[in-house]
Amino acid sequence: MPEITLTTLVLLCLAALVAGWIDAVVGGGGLLLLPALLLGLPNVPHTYALGTNKAVAIVGTTGAAVTFVRKAPVQVWTAVRVGLAALAGSMGGAFFAAGISDAVLRPVIMVVLVAVAAFVILRPSFGARPEGADRAPLTRARIVTAIVVVGGGIGFYDGLFGPGTGTFLVLALTAVLHLDLVTASATAKIVNVCTNAGALAMFAYQGSVYWQLAAVMAVFNLAGGMLGARMALSKGTEFVRGVLLVVVFSLVAKLGFDQWA
């Protein structure tokens, strides 16, 4: 592992803390954590930043998932099945990734994200917790659609391109399974654990993980993830909606910067 100054280590740990919080609430923590690692480790192959990022993120995501499962009405087996489909989809996306330019995908994703933000703003009821008779049943058709479309489709996107995967999972699970945003965020954490585990296994096999650095950062990421999960549970849907919109617009800004700066 390369030498890292104390200042750099502190900044990386703070980035891990905040990224864990963002990931737990609505996904998208990688928007902060991965650039922080790339900046903090400027003279190493980018695969090491990617591998270390996964080793850190899986700890915080797992902590957030456990916190959510204990207090939110999550169907764990459904989430795991979606996660396994996402794992398979991400492997397929990674297979085709080399042949597709990021410059082509970024404008498309930006348009999709702006449309998503507009939809969330104009439909205040989207992701609200249904009550009593208004609660939609979790039918077999919805579960199969979630496995194929959400798991396979967004998993493919994750392997192909990646940015905003956690946020897309929350939105898609809300729409397909008719979950409230808090439960969708909880379900997305379990899916993320599955996909992170697959990616981490591959990076570990390739020897592209700085385990010592990851172990230190993971402590802060875990703390941020558990704190974010508790805040999402206590503050409810409107809080998650607000964080969601901030993350979506931040992602649009980042993609725009990468495309045209």
Side-chain angles (χ1 to χ4, degrees), residues 65-80:
V66 171
T67 302
F68 272 123
V69 167
R70 292 173 61 185
K71 297 186 177 182
V74 183
Q75 292 199 9
V76 176
W77 176 230
T78 297
V80 170

Side-chain angles (χ1 to χ4, degrees), residues 11-67:
L11 291 175
L12 287 174
C13 288
L14 289 175
L17 177 71
V18 178
W21 186 89
I22 295 171
D23 249 342
V25 176
V26 76
L31 295 174
L32 174 62
L33 185 56
L34 183 56
L37 281 165
L38 290 170
L39 290 172
L41 306 172
N43 299 317
V44 303
H46 74 279
T47 54
Y48 282 84
L50 292 169
T52 304
N53 170 63
K54 290 298 182 185
V56 174
I58 194 172
V59 176
T61 302
T62 301
V66 171
T67 302

Side-chain angles (χ1 to χ4, degrees), residues 25 49 72 81 127 162 195 200 204 235:
V25 176
R81 283 184 287 178
T195 56
L200 178 58
K235 293 183 179 294

Side-chain angles (χ1 to χ4, degrees), residues 33-258:
L33 185 56
L34 183 56
L37 281 165
L38 290 170
L39 290 172
L41 306 172
N43 299 317
V44 303
H46 74 279
T47 54
Y48 282 84
L50 292 169
T52 304
N53 170 63
K54 290 298 182 185
V56 174
I58 194 172
V59 176
T61 302
T62 301
V66 171
T67 302
F68 272 123
V69 167
R70 292 173 61 185
K71 297 186 177 182
V74 183
Q75 292 199 9
V76 176
W77 176 230
T78 297
V80 170
R81 283 184 287 178
V82 175
L84 293 175
L87 175 59
S90 67
M91 295 174 66
F95 179 79
F96 290 100
I100 297 180
S101 171
D102 289 355
V104 175
L105 288 174
R106 287 193 196 105
V108 176
I109 301 302
M110 283 189 285
V111 171
V112 172
L113 285 169
V114 170
V116 164
F119 177 80
V120 172
I121 291 171
L122 296 173
R123 287 286 301 274
S125 62
F126 179 73
R129 183 181 296 275
E131 299 293 343
D134 294 330
R135 188 181 299 274
L138 193 58
T139 63
R140 180 182 296 272
R142 292 190 186 281
I143 294 174
V144 171
T145 302
I147 293 171
V148 175
V149 177
V150 181
I154 295 180
F156 184 86
Y157 166 78
D158 192 20
L160 187 69
F161 190 48
T165 296
T167 305
F168 282 129
L169 279 173
V170 173
L171 290 165
L173 288 167
T174 301
V176 173
L177 296 181
H178 287 189
L179 304 176
D180 62 89
L181 284 172
V182 174
T183 305
S185 185
T187 306
K189 299 293 95 59
I190 299 175
V191 177
N192 276 345
V193 171
C194 295
T195 56
N196 284 342
L200 178 58
M202 181 59 68
F203 284 120
Y205 175 76
Q206 296 171 345
S208 300
V209 181
Y210 290 131
W211 292 107
Q212 291 176 312
L213 175 61
V216 175
M217 293 176 65
V219 174
F220 290 85
N221 193 252
L222 176 62
M226 295 181 71
L227 176 62
R230 291 177 184 275
M231 289 183 69
L233 287 166
S234 64
K235 293 183 179 294
T237 296
E238 288 306 314
F239 171 73
V240 176
R241 184 193 306 277
V243 176
L244 172 65
L245 289 173
V246 170
V247 170
V248 166
F249 285 121
S250 298
L251 180 56
V252 170
K254 181 184 183 301
L255 291 173
F257 179 84
D258 292 342

